[in-house]
Structures are given as structure tokens and as C-alpha cells.
Amino acid sequence: MKKQSMMNQSVSRRTALGLLGAGGATAVLAGCGMGMGGGSTTRKNANPGGTPGDPLTAPIELRSSNGVLDVELTASATKLPWGDGERFALAYNGSVPGPTLRVRPGDTLRVKLNNDLGQTTNLHTHGLHVSPEGNSDNIYVMVEPGKSFSYEYRIPDDHPSGTFWYHPHHHGTVAPQIFGGLAGALIVEDRIDDIAELRGADQHVLLLSDPRIGTSKSVLDATTAEKQAGREGDVLLVNGQLQPTITAPAGKVQYWRIVNSSASRYYRLSVDAPAMYLIGTDQGRLPSPQRVNDVTLTPGQRAEVLVPLVGVGRVTLSTTEVERGKNMSMGSGMGGMGMGGGSTGASIGPTTPLLSVDVGPAQSPPANLPAEVRPAPSTPMRADRRRAISFGAMSMGNGEFVIDGQSFSADRITADPRSGTTEDWVVTNNSMMDHPFHLHVWPFQVIGRSGGGALDPGWRDTVNVPTGESVTLRIPFEDFTGKTVMHCHILDHEDLGMMANVEVS
Ligand code: C2O
Ligand code: CU
Ligand code: CU
């Protein structure tokens, strides 16, 4: 661990001095056990830590070539530079976030996961439409301490392009492992990514996280009350950095692929620029850019936005705290079944800056926004069957979070759709707080909200279900069969039992 920490510091120093050329990148790769071939590396890696105003850094990017991306990820505890000192974290290849993986539809992604954590872990590719079986996105595989496992994901030829992510999925320790820093972006690119307006934009992958800062693994501890509320950390970070800065000329368009990798925190993102445009959600692009005032992301959700830089000055990306009912549930035990109806979803401040852009003089005429970012994806006209799913919390003081009244059990099948059919799921939340519903493998569209709220645009894999309301999802169970899970993406709730099996046959 000592060695690991020194390596990170030396990487950080090189970056600060601007010396990271090919030699620097090689050093990082050698130190991390990468470089298995079948893919190329771009950009640099750094963990510059907690000094506001430092230039934004990106994790190493590993890109497929000739249809293959072969990577090795080693999960271990480490210390990352933080201000003048360091902080405890869990990291893939010594980096938080882990490497960004870029693949294309039709590719094969192979990940050899080495577990140096000293506790069981595994890997999930959140949002990928791939097989949930065998050594693909199979979250029932467990990788014991000191062991390795080789995953292989065959990405369908018609997989939507978009922003996805990877993280551990070992039931019972998902929250502390992701909260500790085990997360990375996984980008699928296709021809729509080659349109000039997107290629010409200044693209950044932004992983949002809110760790607790400390020098020992006790930062991963949480009390029962904190788990029930869903743990939130001390600081809000972008790519592991506190309030980093991007420098860009006026006239450029910022293109941000944003991932909420926090364990529990909801973000309501806004910029003080003249306009922000949403172009993609969890599952790929919207038909065309949509002008928005803000974008709310529950844990697990992603958004792709465009922000044109108009004049010289400073543009800040901020988040406002969202009322998700975490305080309503406290003090009244767990919030009993059927006692929903509180109002959530409001912005309750404070507003915290996440990132700023120092906008310099224009170097070229203002760039245009793309007119179209994806042909309109169709929603199936009708469903073959309707299913009711209920999210709840037990009031017995034992802190159990349940789906359909039951805490997670590996062998109970809660939903058993037929492959090739489409289902409507009415997900009801009978507890006192909001829960983000997430389904693996099969994307859905939101077609109804009992509370009358706006229907979330685009295809999704994670959606907020407000307290006391129900949300109706239309889900085509296409392409794959097998067993996987649905769960609450407040990861402490998932660890406390708010997960259930789905088996498609
Ligand atoms: Cu982001 Cu079941 O996971
Ligand atoms: Cu997932
Ligand atoms: Cu929850």
C-alpha cells in the first residue's frame, strides 16, 4: 500500500510539471499492470486531490482497436494525494475514477479483474445491454480476495452509443466499495459521435462523487442511521478533484458526459452560462438537443450536455441539494409501509460549485450545435403484460429495505418476463423517501408518473420513484435471456436488501 501511494504521488508530480509524454504514460501503465494489447491508450492519469482551481484531469483512456479492448483492472486500497496530505480510497489501478473504457458497437470488451482489496468484490457494467450470464455482466460471480476473474462482454452491433459506467456489485458491500472510489466510465461510440459538431466540441467525462475524507479505512464506516438515510460524504468531487478548472476559448462548445457515481446523493446540475442543452440520458441520445435549466441525476444516472461558451469570463457548473426524503424518514423509525405522500424533489440548497470553466478570447468563429444527435428511437406501441413492483421499508427497527415486502435472497425470482415480449412495470414507492429504481441489461422508457411529474425523456436504466408515487416503465425484454437484478441505486438500500432477481427466459 505504501508503494502504491508513492507511485500515485510521483504520477501527480509529473502531471503538475507537464512532463507526461509517452514516457509518463508508459510509467503509469507499467505500474498498473496494464498494456495487455488489444486497445490503445490516450491521455494521462493523475490524482491531484483537494486543491480547488487545479486543472481538471481525466483518468487514463483505454480505447478498443480492431474490435477488441483488453484491460486489466486491479482493485486495491490506496492513498491518494489530497491537498498537502493524502486520503484513503479504494481504486482501480490506483486511480479514482478508474480508467475510462471506450468501445464501439460490435466490439468485445475483456476485463481481467484482480482483487487486491482484502474483501470480496466483482464487476458490473452499469447500463450495458449485454448478456447477464456466464462471464459477461453476471453479478452473481464473486471474486474472492487475492483472486482474479476474466469477464468478456460482447457488445451488440446495434448497441446505442452513450455514457455508461462500471463498478462492483457484491451484495452487502456495494455502498462502501463504490463510496470508496471503485467506479469508472465506459463509453460506447458509434457514427453519431463522428458528426463534426460533437467531434469539434471540448469533450470531458465527469464522474461525480462525494467521498468522506480521511486517512484510514474508517471513512467507509457508516452507522445504521446513515445507511438508512443513504450515506453522503464530506466533499463533492469531479473526477476525484475538488472544484477543478477547465480552460477553453469563447466560441467553443463544452460537451460533458456526466456520471453520478455517488452512493446516495442526488444532484441538480446547472450552469451560469446562457444555455445548457441535454443531448443524452442513461441509454444514449435524444433525437435532438433539448434546452434545459437544470438536470437532476439520481445515483447511477448519466446525462450528456452541451454548454456553448459565449463570452470571456468564468462559467460554473453547480449542484443544488435535492429533497429526497432522507430526513423525513428519520425520527419516525424507518417510515412505515404505506405511509408515503411527503413532498420531495424540491431544491433545498445549498448550491455548491463543482467545476469552473475559465473562458478565454475566441480563437475561431462560434461553433454550432448539432441539429440532430440521434434519429428518434421508437417506443413499443403496447405491452404484453403489466407487472406491479413495490419499494418499501420495514418499520421494525431492523433497517430492512424491501421489494414486494421481501429482502433480497439470491434464489427468489421476483419477475420472470418472456424474452421477446414487452412489459409495463408499475413501480410503487410506499416508503417515506425517494428511491432510484434500476434494472440491469434491459433499458426502458418512462411512460407514466402517478404524481403527474414530467416524463423523463429518452431511454433509461435508472429512474427516480418519489415517495408515495408510482412510475410506469415500458421495457422490451429483447436479445438476451438469463437472470439478473433490479434494485434501488441508493447503494446502502441495496445492501440492506432492496434488490430482487429478474429472470428472462
Ligand atoms: Cu449501477 Cu446494479 O448497478
Ligand atoms: Cu446496473
Ligand atoms: Cu432506496
Side-chain angles (χ1 to χ4, degrees), residues 124 126 165 167 169 438 440 487 489:
H124 167 49
H126 181 130
W165 62 301
H167 64 72
H169 217 289
H438 171 50
H440 288 205
H487 59 88
H489 219 288

Side-chain angles (χ1 to χ4, degrees), residues 438-450:
H438 171 50
L439 173 65
H440 288 205
V441 181
W442 293 277
F444 52 77
Q445 286 189 304
V446 178
I447 60 166
R449 281 187 173 275
S450 68

Side-chain angles (χ1 to χ4, degrees), residues 249-311:
K252 266 272 180 194
V253 173
Q254 288 293 305
Y255 171 13
W256 295 336
R257 297 173 176 268
I258 309 172
V259 179
N260 181 358
S261 72
S262 282
S264 314
R265 186 181 294 273
Y266 285 34
Y267 293 78
R268 179 156 296 151
L269 303 166
S270 60
V271 286
D272 54 5
M276 169 164 74
Y277 299 85
L278 181 67
I279 62 166
T281 61
D282 296 342
Q283 289 285 331
R285 305 278 154 62
L286 303 175
S288 58
Q290 258 184 36
R291 192 171 172 158
V292 289
N293 291 323
D294 51 45
V295 174
T296 301
L297 291 183
T298 72
Q301 286 186 319
R302 287 87 65 208
E304 297 186 9
V305 300
L306 299 178
V307 179
L309 302 176
V310 177

